[in-house]
Amino acid sequence: MNVTGKNQAVDRIRIAKRIAMELQDGMVVNLGVGIPTLIQNYLKPDSRVYLQSENGLLGMGPTPPKEEIDMDLISASKHPITLGQGSSIFSSADSFVMIRGGHVDFAVMGALQVGQSGEIANWAVPGQDILGVGGAMDLVASAKKIIIAISHTTKDNVPKIVKKLTCPTSGIRTAEMIVTEKAVFRIENGCLYLEEVSEDSSVDEVRKLTEAEFIVSKDLKRMPV
């Protein structure tokens, strides 16, 4: 792995670890494709957070060692997982009954863009072929709370947190929180608040790399290492 690849891996882990801190015992949490499916590796071993995968699993455990991989047990990102104590496997149809029925406390999702008010775009890029919407719109409409896990910019350094979406929206519901490798934002009443900045970044850098306008919290903190 080259230096860029290593840095990207470190950034993804930082985001996953920070979001894991938000999850409390008793919660049912859906982990979407991409960075969210790293989160199960950073929960405490005795955690009673119930991780749901839209392909039909409740009670997802951490990634297994290579010698124990069973590719019949995979996450929404098609990565190998384990079964936690008391887990259950069911059809994708039943999984969406859980989602649409409002039984998911948190949905942790990736995104192509997030608007200034928290509006999410995570299923299509204009001008590119669309393979399918997946469960994005169901989760946006039905989860009790939405956390977005994304890199702060694209590979070309284009901001992903924008004033107005240029990609198709995933629904009228908005996210409550955005976590990137550089910052943590809270969204409240249509306003973006910068709550935390990573140890290797600054408010000035976050402003430079964020198209959307935001308010710096009076209680600004450093992201936990």
Side-chain angles (χ1 to χ4, degrees), residues 12 15 19 30-37 39 77 107-126 133 135-137 139-140 146-155 158-162 165-171 173-181 185 187:
R12 289 163 63 87
I15 295 167
I19 293 175
N30 178 279
L31 300 183
V33 174
I35 295 171
T37 50
I39 290 171
S77 292
V108 185
M109 310 171 70
L112 297 166
Q113 293 178 326
V114 187
Q116 189 164 305
S117 65
E119 188 178 3
I120 303 158
N122 70 347
W123 66 278
V125 177
V133 176
M137 291 183 178
L139 288 161
V140 167
I146 301 168
I147 300 177
I148 299 298
I150 52 171
S151 56
H152 207 96
T153 63
T154 68
K155 293 178 182 178
V158 176
K160 291 186 178 181
I161 305 172
V162 296
L165 301 181
T166 57
C167 294
T169 185
S170 298
R173 272 279 310 283
T174 58
E176 281 79 16
M177 188 176 191
I178 306 169
V179 180
T180 78
E181 77 280 11
F185 294 94
I187 301 157

Side-chain angles (χ1 to χ4, degrees), residues 46-140:
D46 60 349
S47 169
R48 293 181 62 82
V49 175
Y50 302 103
L51 301 177
Q52 193 238 19
S53 182
E54 68 182 52
N55 53 330
L57 172 64
L58 182 64
M60 180 164 45
T63 304
K66 288 185 178 180
E67 64 273 12
E68 296 179 15
I69 288 175
D70 177 354
M71 290 309 293
D72 284 332
L73 296 175
I74 57 173
S75 68
S77 292
K78 298 181 174 59
H79 294 157
I81 56 168
T82 51
L83 297 178
Q85 185 175 6
S87 60
S88 56
I89 297 173
F90 35 84
S91 72
S92 180
D94 287 332
S95 186
F96 276 90
V97 168
M98 287 184 63
I99 293 169
R100 293 168 184 166
H103 304 293
V104 173
D105 296 302
F106 275 21
V108 185
M109 310 171 70
L112 297 166
Q113 293 178 326
V114 187
Q116 189 164 305
S117 65
E119 188 178 3
I120 303 158
N122 70 347
W123 66 278
V125 177
Q128 295 188 15
D129 292 339
I130 299 172
L131 297 177
V133 176
M137 291 183 178
D138 298 274
L139 288 161
V140 167

Side-chain angles (χ1 to χ4, degrees), residues 116 162-163 191-192 207 210-215:
Q116 189 164 305
V162 296
K163 288 184 179 180
C191 295
L192 201 59
R207 284 200 189 281
T210 307
E211 181 189 292
E213 296 177 1
F214 60 83
I215 299 167

